[in-house]
Amino acid sequence: MTHATTPAPAGISSRRARFWTDNKSTLIGCGILVALMIVVPFTANSSVMNIVVFAMIFALPAIGLNLLMGLAGQVSLGQAAFFAIGAYTHAILLTKLDLPGPVAATVGVLAAMLVALLVGLPLMRLRGHYLALATLGLGFIVMIGVREWDVTGRTTGIYGISRPTVFGVPIDNSGFFLWFVTPFVVIGLILALNLTRSRAGRALSAVNDSELAAESLGVNTYALRLKVFVLSAGFAGLGGVFYAYQVAIVSPTTAEFHLSVSILLMVVIGGLGSVWGAVAGAFLVQFLGEGMRDVIPAIFPGATGEVQLLGYGIVLILVILLLPGGLHQAATTLWQKLPFAGKRPPVDAHAHAAEDDTTIPLLPAVSTPVAAGEPILVLEGLTKRYGGVVAVNDVSLTVPAGSILGLIGPNGAGKTTCFNMISGALAPTEGTVTFLGQVISGRKPHVAAAHGLTRTFQNLQVFSSTDVVGNVYMGRYRKGSAGVLRGMLGLQSGEQSAHRAAAYEILQSMRLTDAADDSASDLSFGKQRIMEVCRALAAEPALLLLDEPMAGLSSTEREVMAELLRRLRASGLTIVLVEHDVAQVMSLADHVAVLDDGVLIAHGDPESVRNDPAVVVAYLGTDLDEAEAELTELEEHA
Ligand code: ATP
């Protein structure tokens, strides 16, 4: 008798195994947290219980702020404002409209998110200190608003918020309340952890490292930041809802600057960018606050809450000075010292074998909507003025599909400015850039990327918070589709592993597999440049703009790069290349355009450009001997 074999059980078990591998640390961490929270009510005294309950409540706004600051790199000093909006909305709906608890809580969270959306629409265009100041201002507006508004009870606030009832059980003591809040913190933690590992989370980190590079790979940085700002406010609003339940009074203290500083402290002490750190920070700050309440009056008799704020300030300075990575950094350092700590798996043997091979594998054909030789990129009257300086002056040229255009010119000729206008990093003062029939000038780089145009940078734009493969993986951003919500729900693991495999393949073609798991910022300058090219190729563009790809490369690396460019052209890719190595450009390019002082002085095949007297004079100066020597050198390389 034969047994039919069905692939399903193996599929399910391998999916289970992958789920366990992907989520092991989250599941173990959450398991420990839940176990602790189950045990605490049986073992802790009332004072410790109180601290633990508030730590769990404040863990929510801390997780939210950590996503905004640690992941998206946006400093907010107004987290208390959203906390207060959640708390007040919940309290008003419960006490004045008598709405059921879940409805009031949901509206409280949504109100915080809605306000974040409205203020975020203009605020997310601000950067760095401006955003911090604007959110600080928002905090003050909310604080003054609740103090002055009758609906919010002015300075006395809103009283008489009754404790919730869950499945008929009244949550009328701290132990029950802890068990009531724990599932929400755990769910918030899982969602936030999923987000940090998702396509959207990686994009946010990339934006934090280099907004320009992330945009050039298709990330709509404004929309992504706005989403995280709203999400962060949602976490704060939920914290406010639980706070209102626990304290039964919502007063203007919930909107005070002091509270925003406390939440900020939780995130910094925990370690920016670490979701677990935010939870640990919430616990530490609560215990610290309690400690300070006893210690400070003992040191300074008659000291008030203001002096306690001073204590927070001192702790914040000490953490920044002594432990900039917070508790997360301390825990990671400790973990790495343990003998059983997981070591990196060795790189795939197949990849090593490929690296011994000096040839670049054949590249898959690029699918371009226009036939080879047809115009793919058209510049018309492109001009950029900076006050009196005309960096690029009325440049018009056409790039045929499937060719390499070399853009050369002396220092300051306007090459990079031209590149920036083509890729969307700069808006032209006049003129248009048309790519694949669409006018893309004046639009953001992510729009150009969406049409199939990607670039590298003269001044390297490495995503330093991730490893080499992580950088190349980011190049696949446009190939994925999962947004913030899918990322939070963890519904994209199949998509992720396919893109990761593609990233490894590209690294292999450029013989960078050995460095795949190294931190990108630890690579040599030349390898970082190659990695940027790999990252741009991962996006599978129709047009690749390379800004000085040979700069800083060894002669072998230059050979590999030149060979790669030839292969890319053979596969149908169009390349525009800015390069100071004129000999390389002449040998690689099908067409050469020469800029001098912002003006296009020559454009044609390498041979005619090489012999163009205007180029010789502009490029080499008026010294004829020098010019002839350089010409001879160029001919030797040709
Ligand atoms: P290099 O080969 O040295 O990189 P380039 O050909 O790329 O030079 P650009 O960097 O495009 O030249 O600069 C062209 C001109 O525009 C230079 O004179 C430069 O000083 C000027 N320029 C560029 N950016 C600005 C700016 N933001 N403000 C004022 N002038 C600028």
Side-chain angles (χ1 to χ4, degrees):
M1 187 179 155
T2 54
H3 295 275
T5 50
T6 49
I12 290 168
S13 66
S14 75
R15 246 179 286 152
R16 271 197 200 132
R18 198 174 68 193
F19 177 81
W20 170 246
T21 317
D22 289 351
N23 299 287
K24 192 167 57 179
S25 55
T26 305
L27 294 173
I28 292 174
C30 288
I32 293 171
L33 182 68
V34 170
L36 282 175
M37 293 308 116
I38 289 173
V39 171
V40 164
F42 298 110
T43 52
N45 62 31
S46 65
S47 152
V48 171
M49 265 305 294
N50 214 29
I51 295 173
V52 172
V53 166
F54 280 107
M56 289 295 270
I57 291 174
F58 283 109
L60 289 163
I63 291 171
L65 185 63
N66 184 65
L67 290 178
L68 186 69
M69 282 181 63
L71 204 57
Q74 301 292 287
V75 180
S76 167
L77 296 174
Q79 195 70 339
F82 302 114
F83 186 84
I85 291 168
Y88 269 100
T89 310
H90 181 59
I92 290 167
L93 296 181
L94 281 181
T95 57
K96 303 202 171 169
L97 299 182
D98 230 2
L99 287 183
V103 177
T106 309
V107 177
V109 173
L110 291 178
M113 293 172 87
L114 181 67
V115 173
L117 178 67
L118 294 177
V119 296
L121 282 167
L123 283 193
M124 285 299 115
R125 296 196 190 278
L126 303 178
R127 296 281 172 276
H129 307 314
Y130 296 108
L131 182 74
L133 289 176
T135 47
L136 180 66
L138 173 75
F140 282 122
I141 291 169
V142 172
M143 188 177 71
I144 294 165
V146 295
R147 271 188 191 157
E148 300 297 323
W149 199 20
D150 285 339
V151 179
T152 50
R154 294 179 174 265
T155 48
T156 42
I158 297 173
Y159 286 81
I161 302 159
S162 50
R163 286 296 189 98
T165 303
V166 180
F167 301 123
V169 180
I171 309 296
D172 54 4
N173 65 58
S174 294
F176 280 175
F177 195 85
L178 188 61
W179 293 340
F180 175 52
V181 74
T182 297
F184 290 89
V185 175
V186 169
I187 291 169
L189 247 167
I190 293 172
L191 294 179
L193 285 166
N194 280 348
L195 180 65
T196 55
R197 291 194 302 251
S198 71
R199 171 178 177 265
R202 281 196 323 279
L204 279 164
S205 298
V207 172
N208 199 9
D209 290 332
S210 166
E211 183 169 349
L212 184 56
E215 273 271 341
S216 302
L217 294 170
V219 182
N220 183 343
T221 55
Y222 170 72
L224 202 54
R225 278 185 170 139
L226 183 61
K227 284 178 195 166
V228 175
F229 187 59
V230 171
L231 189 65
S232 165
F235 273 97
L238 186 61
V241 164
F242 281 110
Y243 181 87
Y245 265 145
Q246 169 66 2
V247 182
I249 303 166
V250 180
S251 69
T253 51
T254 52
E256 273 178 3
F257 176 59
H258 175 205
L259 189 62
S260 283
V261 174
S262 286
I263 299 169
L264 183 73
L265 190 61
M266 291 167 193
V267 174
V268 175
I269 284 189
L272 279 175
S274 162
V275 177
W276 280 109
V279 179
F283 274 84
L284 200 68
V285 169
Q286 285 304 316
F287 277 102
L288 200 74
E290 201 54 34
M292 271 186 225
R293 216 159 285 155
D294 295 336
V295 171
I296 285 181
I299 302 172
F300 308 105
T304 60
E306 301 298 317
V307 183
Q308 204 179 317
L309 193 60
L310 194 81
Y312 279 136
I314 294 169
V315 172
L316 192 63
I317 292 168
L318 287 177
V319 170
I320 289 167
L321 286 178
L322 303 176
L323 205 63
L327 292 172
H328 173 73
Q329 184 194 354
T332 315
T333 315
L334 205 69
W335 172 256
Q336 279 163 355
K337 290 204 170 129
L338 296 175
F340 52 86
K343 300 277 178 278
R344 261 181 198 167
V347 183
D348 169 18
H350 168 70
H352 275 299
E355 287 192 10
D356 296 336
D357 186 0
T358 49
T359 55
I360 293 171
L362 274 175
L363 299 155
V366 174
S367 65
T368 310
V370 292
E374 295 292 314
I376 187 169
L377 178 75
V378 181
L379 312 184
E380 283 174 302
L382 207 57
T383 302
K384 183 72 194 177
R385 290 194 200 94
Y386 293 105
V389 178
V390 188
V392 174
N393 193 356
D394 197 20
V395 168
S396 297
L397 60 86
T398 298
V399 181
S403 66
I404 298 181
L405 172 80
L407 187 60
I408 61 170
N411 285 337
K415 306 178 295 291
T416 298
T417 307
C418 216
F419 249 43
N420 286 339
M421 286 191 285
I422 298 171
S423 66
L426 272 180
T429 314
E430 281 161 31
T432 54
V433 177
T434 307
F435 175 60
L436 287 172
Q438 306 275 330
V439 176
I440 56 164
S441 39
R443 310 286 305 273
K444 289 279 207 165
H446 70 85
V447 177
H451 284 96
L453 188 157
T454 312
R455 67 171 293 185
T456 65
F457 301 87
Q458 181 185 356
N459 300 320
L460 293 172
Q461 303 285 323
V462 169
F463 299 137
S464 50
S465 63
T466 182
D467 51 17
V468 172
V469 72
N471 267 263
V472 180
Y473 188 8
M474 251 319 285
R476 306 289 300 166
Y477 182 78
R478 292 267 340 145
K479 300 284 154 197
S481 59
V484 171
L485 194 63
R486 266 179 69 193
M488 285 172 71
L489 297 174
L491 301 174
Q492 55 171 100
S493 53
E495 180 180 306
Q496 302 230 76
S497 43
H499 292 313
R500 206 167 169 83
Y504 266 106
E505 252 176 56
I506 292 166
L507 284 173
Q508 195 174 318
S509 72
M510 287 301 281
R511 289 179 247 151
L512 262 188
T513 337
D514 257 352
D517 296 328
D518 292 351
S519 165
S521 48
D522 290 346
L523 281 192
S524 68
F525 184 76
K527 287 216 162 114
Q528 283 185 342
R529 211 169 260 294
I530 296 173
M531 181 191 73
E532 274 204 1
V533 175
C534 292
R535 191 174 69 188
L537 286 177
E540 294 176 16
L543 173 65
L544 181 60
L545 304 179
L546 297 173
D547 201 348
E548 300 198 20
M550 308 281 185
L553 301 195
S554 67
S555 54
T556 321
E557 286 168 340
R558 276 168 184 248
E559 256 173 55
V560 174
M561 181 69 78
E563 176 60 12
L564 174 78
L565 299 187
R566 286 192 188 95
R567 294 243 171 185
L568 288 171
R569 174 179 48 195
S571 68
L573 184 67
T574 314
I575 297 169
V576 180
L577 175 73
V578 163
E579 187 50 63
H580 275 289
D581 185 342
V582 178
Q584 277 284 14
V585 174
M586 293 295 179
S587 73
L588 269 173
D590 303 289
H591 310 278
V592 177
V594 188
L595 286 177
D596 184 31
D597 226 358
V599 178
L600 184 68
I601 56 165
H603 179 209
D605 60 81
E607 190 58 29
S608 62
V609 166
R610 184 187 292 129
N611 297 316
D612 189 321
V615 175
V616 176
V617 171
Y619 219 82
L620 308 171
T622 46
D623 183 338
L624 263 180
D625 289 345
E626 200 186 311
E628 271 168 14
E630 186 73 20
L631 270 175
T632 317
E633 195 199 320
L634 292 180
E635 268 156 20
E636 279 167 11
H637 277 89

